[in-house]
């Protein structure tokens, strides 16, 4: 769900890209923006229930207009319920079933996009997102909320796989890092947008309009995609040589002959046996390129164990407890301004993500990951103490710090490391496996947190702190340094 591509080339080449093929043209810029809006959809849906869940679930009643009954509002006149009665377990299920859809969408996304193209896949994902969002907006029952959340989860799970594929394939040489990092940045912008929309709309009369915001984003994205050309590399991989040249010429600018020369280089790459696009893995249980074979292969055991711990552990450190339930946590001590504080926490997340995207590839992986994880452990512990002892200011300050230190390392690095510690022929399967682990971890936290938090209160963050501490020890002992890796797979794991 968090995917940052290399920015090393960006830092060395971005200053003076002189040739047409290295320019960021208007057409290419437009295409990148359109693709990145899909990531905004993901971020929006991830946190759309954060602010309104108390009024949505009938746990609180915030009447914006005294003396003006709900039945007289536009929503009330059309049969929309003022709220949908939900207990803590049901809130957890509605929130977490987004992840069930996400697993399904991300698992089949590459195969679907390789068959039907990046553009068509994105159009279908936007359409599914519109349908799912409308179901959520129109929901008057617990079951319909779940159905809508699963559908938007499938769409978003597919989008965050398809979008990096498209961006990677259209990005000019020297721009891959910055353009690739747009996925992560736009996910955080989506979370921020949700919290911004929630500021004026989180009350017992207008909370549905927060959910309707995702419909508008998906519709906008859908129509914008019609003006974007298909990935030229995908076109060439499917034998559509002329279409690939035309698409590349429109996206990159320059002459048709310049585009033809670059396409010719791609053809040579294909003829030499190198894949031009992300290879499709087998979706069946058995097969030479299946996930099941990857799980059974004992030669992958050490790298697979690291991927499992890092991708599950990232979620079990509690980040999505804040992203999904931050308003409820803060409202325990500061109910009047909980939504506003959550908005500013999301803003910090965006700013740190942008900074990290530019700097992370110039830093060593292991020290940064360990530092981030240790600081997450410390800040989570202090947050737990602050909740238990009603220290409002302490909770707010360390919520900001927690978000910052998590974003600087524990957020992006597991997704970078999981490719770098795997054998070249296993990178795609390793990435698929790690993504599934991360989705499952998110599901577990999303489902269990409301229940555990009501029982343990701040002690749940002390549990997160202990988990983060254990992960730090695991990183120190088991995770190799992979920056500028030159050693072979066997040499990396020889002493571990």
């Amino acid at each position: 769900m968090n995917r940052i591509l290399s920015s090393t080339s960006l830092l060395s080449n971005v200053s003076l890209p002189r040739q047409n093929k290295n320019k960021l043209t208007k057409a290419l810029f437009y295409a990148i923006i359109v693709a990145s809006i899909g990531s905004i959809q993901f971020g929006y849906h991830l946190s759309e229930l954060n602010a309104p869940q108390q009024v949505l679930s009938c746990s609180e009643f915030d009447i914006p207009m005294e003396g003006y009954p709900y039945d007289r509002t536009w929503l009330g006149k059309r049969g929309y319920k003022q709220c949908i009665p939900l207990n803590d377990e049901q809130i957890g299920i509605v929130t977490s079933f987004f992840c069930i859809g996400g697993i399904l969408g991300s698992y089949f996304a590459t195969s679907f996009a390789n068959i039907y193209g990046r553009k068509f896949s994105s159009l279908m994902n936007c359409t599914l997102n519109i349908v799912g969002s409308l179901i959520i907006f129109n929901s008057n029952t617990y079951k319909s909320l779940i159905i809508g959340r699963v559908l938007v989860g499938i769409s978003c799970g597919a989008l965050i796989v398809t979008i990096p594929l498209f961006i990677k394939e259209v990005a000019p040489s020297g721009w891959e890092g910055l353009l690739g990092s747009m996925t992560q940045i736009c996910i955080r912008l989506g979370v921020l947008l949700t919290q911004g929309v929630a500021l004026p709309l989180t009350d017992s009369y207008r909370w549905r309009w927060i959910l309707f915001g995702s419909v508008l984003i998906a519709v906008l994205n859908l129509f914008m995609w019609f003006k974007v050309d298909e990935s030229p590399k995908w076109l060439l991989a499917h034998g559509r040589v002329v279409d690939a040249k035309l698409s590349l010429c429109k996206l990159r600018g320059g002459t048709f002959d310049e585009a033809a020369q670059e396409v010719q280089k791609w053809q040579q790459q294909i003829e030499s046996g190198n894949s031009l696009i992300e290879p499709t893995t087998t979706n069946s249980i058995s097969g030479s390129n299946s996930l099941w074979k990857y799980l059974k292969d004992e030669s992958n055991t050490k790298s697979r164990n690291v991927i499992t711990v890092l991708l599950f552990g990232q979620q079990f450190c509690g980040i999505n407890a804040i992203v999904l339930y931050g308003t409820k946590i803060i409202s325990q001590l500061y109910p009047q301004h909980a939504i506003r504080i959550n908005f500013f926490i999301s803003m910090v997340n965006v700013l740190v993500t942008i900074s990290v995207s530019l700097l992370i590839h110039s830093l060593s992986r292991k020290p940064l990951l360990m530092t981030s994880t240790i600081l997450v452990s410390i800040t989570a512990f202090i947050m737990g103490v602050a909740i238990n002892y009603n220290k409002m200011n302490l909770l707010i300050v360390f919520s900001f710090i927690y978000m910052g230190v998590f974003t600087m390392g524990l957020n992006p690095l597991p997704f970078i490391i999981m490719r770098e510690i795997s054998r070249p022929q296993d990178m795609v399967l390793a990435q698929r496996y790690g993504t599934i682990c991360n989705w499952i971890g998110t599901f577990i936290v999303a489902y269990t947190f409301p229940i555990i938090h009501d029982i343990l209160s701040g002690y749940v963050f002390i549990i997160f702190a202990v988990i983060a501490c254990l992960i730090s020890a695991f990183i120190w002992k088991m995770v190799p340094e992979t920056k500028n890796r030159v050693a072979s797979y066997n040499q990396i794991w020889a002493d571990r």
Side-chain angles (χ1 to χ4, degrees):
M1 273 142 282
N2 303 298
R3 193 173 181 180
I4 300 181
L5 304 177
S6 175
S7 60
T8 305
S9 301
L10 163 68
L11 297 176
S12 58
N13 299 321
V14 72
S15 55
L16 293 170
R18 296 183 181 275
Q19 298 182 357
N20 282 332
K21 66 180 181 179
N22 290 334
K23 286 183 179 179
L24 188 62
T25 63
K26 290 182 180 179
L28 182 56
F29 180 75
Y30 177 83
I32 298 297
I33 292 298
V34 173
S36 298
I37 292 174
S39 299
I40 292 177
Q41 292 184 59
F42 173 84
Y44 196 100
H45 281 296
L46 184 66
S47 62
E48 66 184 346
L49 301 181
N50 185 345
Q53 66 179 257
Q54 296 296 95
V55 290
L56 181 157
S57 62
C58 305
S59 300
E60 293 181 2
F61 291 92
D62 181 6
I63 309 301
M65 296 173 283
E66 292 295 338
Y68 191 85
Y70 177 76
D71 292 342
R72 293 177 59 188
T73 64
W74 189 92
L75 293 170
K77 289 177 181 178
R78 286 157 180 79
Y80 293 96
K81 291 183 178 179
Q82 185 173 344
C83 60
I84 305 168
L86 301 173
N87 58 35
D88 287 333
E89 182 179 8
Q90 290 172 326
I91 290 172
I93 289 174
V94 170
T95 303
S96 63
F97 265 58
F98 174 77
C99 304
I100 299 296
I103 293 171
L104 294 173
S106 61
Y107 185 77
F108 294 102
T110 302
S111 300
F112 190 88
N114 280 355
I115 295 171
Y116 297 105
R118 283 46 170 144
K119 179 177 178 177
F120 182 78
S121 298
S122 298
L123 288 169
M124 291 300 100
N125 290 330
C126 288
T127 302
L128 183 59
N129 209 327
I130 293 168
V131 173
S133 298
L134 286 172
I135 291 174
I136 296 171
F137 173 76
N138 287 282
S139 291
N140 277 334
T141 65
Y142 167 58
K143 291 182 180 179
S144 60
L145 280 174
I146 292 175
I147 293 170
R149 289 286 288 175
V150 171
L151 292 179
V152 298
I154 293 172
S155 168
C156 291
L159 280 169
I160 61 167
V161 172
T162 307
I163 291 164
L165 294 180
F166 177 81
I167 292 176
K168 182 180 179 182
E169 291 168 5
V170 302
S173 176
W175 291 88
E176 299 93 334
L178 178 60
L179 298 183
S181 68
M182 286 293 290
T183 302
Q184 273 297 307
I185 293 169
C186 287
I187 290 174
R188 308 305 162 197
L189 283 173
V191 174
L192 179 64
L193 179 61
T194 314
Q195 306 311 315
V197 171
L199 284 172
L201 297 177
T202 302
D203 58 52
S204 296
Y205 286 10
R206 296 175 293 185
W207 59 266
R208 286 184 188 269
W209 297 115
I210 301 172
L211 309 179
F212 189 75
S214 58
V215 179
L216 300 179
I217 298 171
V219 170
L220 174 66
N221 199 198
L222 177 72
F223 284 103
M224 290 179 75
W225 265 110
F226 285 109
K227 294 186 68 176
V228 176
D229 289 291
E230 179 57 86
S231 160
K233 288 188 176 181
W234 181 86
L235 291 169
L236 182 61
H238 285 74
R240 297 167 59 179
V241 181
V242 176
D243 289 338
K245 294 176 182 177
L246 289 171
S247 174
L248 183 62
C249 186
K250 290 178 183 178
L251 288 169
R252 301 275 186 87
T255 66
F256 184 81
D257 289 340
E258 289 174 335
Q261 290 175 8
E262 186 160 356
V263 169
Q264 187 176 13
K265 293 179 182 178
W266 295 347
Q267 288 176 306
Q268 293 171 354
Q269 181 180 331
I270 294 173
E271 291 169 1
S272 64
N274 297 318
S275 179
L276 193 62
I277 61 175
E278 191 93 347
T280 301
T281 55
T282 304
N283 292 321
S284 60
I285 293 178
S286 59
S288 60
N289 199 26
S290 67
L291 187 61
W292 182 248
K293 182 178 181 296
Y294 171 78
L295 293 173
K296 291 179 65 179
D297 190 346
E298 293 184 359
S299 64
N300 290 323
T301 299
K302 290 182 179 179
S303 60
R304 193 170 59 242
N305 287 344
V306 169
I307 292 171
T308 304
V309 172
L310 291 185
L311 274 297
F312 272 110
Q314 182 201 62
Q315 293 303 314
F316 293 159
C317 289
I319 180 60
N320 275 323
I322 296 177
V323 173
L324 301 175
Y325 303 107
T327 301
K328 182 179 180 180
I329 294 168
I330 296 171
S331 65
Q332 286 181 292
L333 302 183
Y334 207 179
Q336 300 91 341
H337 300 287
I339 298 174
R340 187 172 291 105
I341 292 169
N342 211 55
F343 171 79
F344 285 114
I345 290 174
S346 299
M347 187 177 292
V348 168
N349 196 3
V350 171
L351 295 175
V352 176
T353 299
I354 293 172
S355 302
V356 168
S357 297
L358 296 175
L359 299 174
I360 193 169
H361 291 279
S362 63
L363 302 173
S364 297
R365 312 284 192 250
K366 187 170 180 176
L368 181 60
L369 184 60
M370 279 195 65
T371 301
S372 174
T373 310
I374 291 170
L375 292 175
V376 163
S377 177
I378 294 169
T379 52
F381 181 85
I382 295 173
M383 287 173 65
V385 172
I387 294 172
N388 287 339
Y389 289 92
N390 295 319
K391 302 295 183 180
M392 178 185 66
N393 292 334
L394 192 66
L395 173 62
I396 294 170
V397 169
F398 277 88
S399 294
F400 280 97
I401 296 174
Y402 175 94
M403 186 62 72
V405 297
F406 180 91
T407 305
M408 79 178 195
L410 193 53
N411 179 39
L413 282 175
F415 292 93
I416 297 173
I417 290 173
M418 73 178 178
R419 291 180 68 95
E420 295 177 345
I421 62 174
S422 302
R423 295 181 301 184
Q425 64 268 31
D426 294 325
M427 282 185 181
V428 175
L429 287 169
Q431 185 167 305
R432 176 176 283 193
Y433 171 71
T435 301
I436 291 173
C437 289
N438 201 249
W439 274 115
I440 295 173
T442 305
F443 171 83
I444 293 171
V445 172
Y447 173 63
T448 60
F449 181 80
I451 302 169
I452 298 175
H453 180 254
D454 277 356
I455 297 171
L456 299 179
S457 189
Y459 289 106
V460 68
F461 280 92
I462 295 176
I463 294 174
F464 292 148
V466 171
I467 293 173
C469 186
L470 293 174
I471 293 172
S472 300
F474 178 87
I475 293 168
W476 176 73
K477 182 69 176 177
M478 297 300 300
V479 177
E481 176 57 64
T482 57
K483 182 177 183 292
N484 299 326
R485 187 185 91 176
V486 293
S488 68
Y489 177 84
N490 290 332
Q491 289 173 323
I492 286 176
W493 296 106
D495 59 343
R496 296 184 186 278

